[in-house]
Amino acid sequence: MTTAQTVQEDLRALAEKAGRDLEEASALDILTWAADTFGDRFCVTSSMEDAVVAHLASRARPGVDVVFLDTGYHFPETIGTRDAVEAVMDVNVITLLPRQSVEEQDAEYGPKLHDRDPDLCCALRKVKPLEDGLKGYSAWATGLRRDESPTRANTPVVGWDEKRRKVKISPIARWTQEDVEAYVAEHGVLTNPLLTDGYASVGCAPCTRRTEAGEDARAGRWAGRNKTECGLHG
Ligand code: SF4
């Protein structure tokens, strides 16, 4: 086994142990463990649906890197939330861009690739840029929650991201929507205005619709298609 493989196996074992040890820990304690363990090789990713995990992480590690994927297809409200987070929170926002602009992608693949081949569009505009953007980190945190959809029901609070070979931390995996709302209210956390305009989950504009009462939070993402995840978490 090479030295790099040994390091990755050690990281995997560390992640799996932490997942067991921290299952009952608070979100802040999980992020404090991550900040203490990985230092500046730890970041938070945010879709700018809300800034809850970024807020928690900034308490654990002021100035923490918050990575945002600007696909070129976001609602203006999402970009506005990103700008507000950057302006008022003690975090370092890093915006990742796809290799091609929307116009360049349209020229190569034809317009509205998201309607014809959303998996390819997500691969080009989300998965690849994140893969590149995470290269300098050993661990990344997400806002995944088990109650969002059946595909997320087994999300560990700390796990091993086999695709990127990094530690993946989901500090609010055990939270409910009510827990999120309570944290937002208690700490005055920034949220995307679309959350109060009928959207339970906010992604790219062409692939997101408002949700109906009783639907899963993510039912409005790629609605009508056999697709529930963009490839970042699947
Ligand atoms: Fe493209 Fe839609 Fe994926 Fe955004 S969510 S990258 S627009 S397919």
Side-chain angles (χ1 to χ4, degrees), residues 71 73 105 113-115 117-126 203-208 221-222 227 230:
T71 63
Y73 279 117
Q105 179 172 293
L113 183 62
H114 46 73
D115 286 352
D117 191 345
D119 286 343
L120 177 58
C121 187
C122 280
L124 294 168
R125 311 203 72 73
K126 288 185 170 181
C204 293
C207 302
T208 307
R221 307 286 293 277
W222 304 284
K227 178 174 169 70
C230 51

Side-chain angles (χ1 to χ4, degrees), residues 33-89:
W33 170 84
D36 290 348
T37 305
F38 301 107
D40 60 9
R41 292 186 65 79
F42 163 66
C43 70
V44 178
T45 54
S46 178
S47 65
M48 297 300 163
E49 185 173 295
D50 62 53
V52 167
V53 177
H55 187 274
L56 280 159
S58 75
R59 291 170 63 195
R61 181 176 171 82
V64 67
D65 287 351
V66 173
V67 171
F68 170 69
L69 277 170
D70 185 353
T71 63
Y73 279 117
H74 283 302
F75 292 100
E77 290 87 343
T78 301
I79 300 300
T81 305
R82 187 271 315 268
D83 293 345
V85 164
E86 192 167 32
V88 307
M89 287 176 54

Side-chain angles (χ1 to χ4, degrees), residues 196-222:
T196 54
D197 190 18
Y199 293 85
S201 177
V202 182
C204 293
C207 302
T208 307
R209 67 154 170 77
R210 291 179 173 85
T211 38
E212 308 288 337
E215 285 187 319
D216 277 346
R218 290 181 61 81
R221 307 286 293 277
W222 304 284

